[in-house]
Amino acid sequence: MDTLGNLRAFLATVKLGNFSEAARELSVVPSVVAKRINHLEWTLGVTLFQRSTRKVTLTEAGHRFLPKASALLAQFDG
């Protein structure tokens, strides 16, 4: 999968609080965002979000990963 796309999905989800809003911002369907997050979590070997029916919240691992993900995309988009 596309690592940059996974990072963008992660950051959009953090910013907007759920997969549906992140999907709207990224112009994809929510299942694509969920798959990207799942793949990122699998790759990193950690759970980044606690999921509920209405929103997602960052786990401790997600909080630690957030600045790294932001920096990586900033460098790439720079």
Side-chain angles (χ1 to χ4, degrees):
M1 273 196 119
D2 172 26
T3 302
L4 289 174
N6 295 350
L7 291 174
R8 290 184 201 290
F10 171 73
L11 293 173
T13 302
V14 170
K15 175 180 148 188
L16 298 168
N18 64 57
F19 293 160
S20 295
E21 291 300 319
R24 275 194 262 298
E25 181 168 291
L26 298 170
S27 300
V28 297
V29 295
S31 63
V32 169
V33 172
K35 286 178 186 176
R36 289 187 175 280
I37 298 298
N38 288 336
H39 188 264
L40 188 58
E41 290 176 326
W42 179 82
T43 301
L44 296 172
V46 297
T47 301
L48 298 170
F49 292 103
Q50 290 288 345
R51 293 147 169 92
S52 74
T53 56
R54 300 245 163 134
K55 67 177 186 170
V56 294
T57 55
L58 280 175
T59 61
E60 183 60 35
H63 280 287
R64 287 193 309 269
F65 184 64
L66 180 57
K68 295 173 188 171
S70 296
L72 284 169
L73 273 182
Q75 283 180 344
F76 184 80
D77 290 342

